[in-house]
Amino acid sequence: MKKLNLSILGDVTGGLAAMLVALPSSIAFGIIIYSPIGREFASRGAVAGIIGAIIIGLIAPLAGGTPRLVSSPCAPAAAVLSAFVIGLMNNEAGMELASSIPSMILLVILACGLLQIFLGLIGGGRFIKYIPFSVVSGYLSGVGLLIIMGQVPKLLTLPNGTSLWHGIVSPSLWQWKGLLVGLVTIAAMFASQRFIRRVPATILSLAAGMVVYWLLAVRYGELATLQGNPIVIGAINAGMDTYTSFMRDCWTNIRGIDAGQFTGIAVTAGTLAVLLSIDTLKSCVVLDALTGSRHDSNRE
């Protein structure tokens, strides 16, 4: 009985720790993916990230082939989807596509999942490990640079419509309050692992950024409001009407996708399927070495 109680306690504490790491990351990844569409979509990205973390946490343990592996949203997926969205928005018809991009993201994710199921059924888990890491690293490095270029304007809190290079060389456009919060968050992310290793760096950095923001809000009252505040995401509309309208318009948006856009969706889905499979199987190999277990690569 004592051993059973310890097992349950370990599961609960492990689940709590995983949740504390996964939720902030999933919110950040959702915002990274959706914010290039427009400021009003950032809040939808935050909600999508939370829902994604919940769903993967429920489904992966039941369907996966690796005991003790905790699944959560990861950077490669955010990187690839962000690059996909940025590419669509940089298209000449980017603004016209804005309302249909969430539907395209849905198609990418569904196609990626189906491809991964197909890879598992044909035994692809045995062969995907032979893809050179240099190929994966080169691709993700390029996508990572795109994400950095997309996030610098938010770190500097540049006005909407300001180009990246013009904003960087124009310090007069920077808002020091937002920059201070961002720099403290980054510093806490790096410093925490040197001094407090028992608490995930994600949690400490998030807490540090929030503390600094609210300390500034005590001195500058406009930071405590949502209206006209350029630093915050804004109100998050998670009502059922949001999902009802999305599902109502989803099929209409999908029918309006042309052949060129479907090609981009297919390429992105294939890239995601391979990268995420490699990322997961790499984690499985490490976990096997730590626990002495053996994962089922095709099922995973």
Side-chain angles (χ1 to χ4, degrees):
M1 180 62 71
K2 185 177 180 180
K3 186 176 181 180
L4 178 61
N5 291 336
L6 288 176
S7 175
I8 294 175
L9 180 61
D11 289 342
V12 171
T13 55
L16 179 62
M19 179 271 292
L20 290 175
V21 173
L23 276 183
S25 299
S26 63
I27 293 171
F29 293 156
I31 294 172
I32 287 173
I33 295 167
Y34 276 75
S35 58
I37 309 175
R39 185 176 178 84
E40 67 277 11
F41 283 87
S43 61
R44 300 188 191 181
V47 175
I50 294 172
I51 294 173
I54 293 171
I55 291 176
I56 194 173
L58 294 174
I59 293 178
L62 299 176
T66 311
R68 305 180 186 89
L69 182 67
V70 177
S71 298
S72 66
C74 63
V80 174
L81 287 174
S82 177
F84 172 69
V85 172
I86 291 172
L88 291 174
M89 292 303 297
N90 288 340
N91 188 289
E92 293 181 0
M95 295 308 296
E96 299 177 7
L97 288 172
S99 61
S100 62
I101 288 178
S103 300
M104 296 185 191
I105 295 174
L106 175 64
L107 282 181
V108 168
I109 295 171
L110 289 174
C112 170
L114 291 174
L115 281 171
Q116 287 186 295
I117 292 174
F118 176 73
L119 287 173
L121 291 176
I122 64 173
R126 295 174 306 196
F127 304 108
I128 205 165
K129 66 182 76 173
Y130 296 109
I131 295 177
F133 280 106
S134 55
V135 173
V136 180
S137 176
Y139 183 86
L140 285 180
S141 296
V143 175
L145 289 174
L146 288 177
I147 289 181
I148 292 173
M149 292 169 62
Q151 294 307 299
V152 167
K154 296 174 178 61
L155 178 64
L156 303 177
T157 322
L158 299 176
N160 290 334
T162 304
S163 67
L164 174 62
W165 302 118
H166 176 64
I168 290 176
V169 300
S170 304
S172 59
L173 297 177
W174 303 358
Q175 297 201 32
W176 69 268
K177 303 181 190 72
L179 180 59
L180 176 63
V181 172
L183 291 178
V184 168
T185 305
I186 294 171
M189 176 73 77
F190 286 102
S192 60
Q193 292 308 287
R194 295 188 60 183
F195 303 106
I196 310 175
R197 296 194 175 185
R198 289 185 176 275
V199 181
T202 308
I203 303 303
L204 292 174
S205 60
L206 183 67
M210 293 172 62
V211 168
V212 171
Y213 181 88
W214 285 111
L215 288 175
L216 288 172
V218 173
R219 173 66 178 80
Y220 303 96
E222 65 272 16
L223 296 182
T225 63
L226 292 178
Q227 191 67 29
N229 188 339
I231 299 179
V232 300
I233 298 171
I236 295 180
N237 181 11
M240 286 304 297
D241 55 332
T242 302
Y243 306 106
T244 302
S245 61
F246 171 75
M247 296 308 298
R248 183 180 64 246
D249 299 335
C250 188
W251 179 242
T252 302
N253 293 331
I254 290 174
R255 286 189 298 176
I257 298 174
D258 59 36
Q261 292 163 355
F262 266 116
T263 301
I265 289 171
V267 170
T268 305
T271 302
L272 261 183
V274 172
L275 286 177
L276 295 182
S277 296
I278 293 173
D279 187 71
T280 300
L281 295 180
K282 176 184 64 179
S283 301
C284 295
V285 171
V286 174
L287 189 64
D288 285 350
L290 291 173
T291 62
S293 59
R294 185 173 180 85
H295 71 277
D296 183 339
S297 59
N298 290 321
R299 178 168 178 173
E300 186 64 37

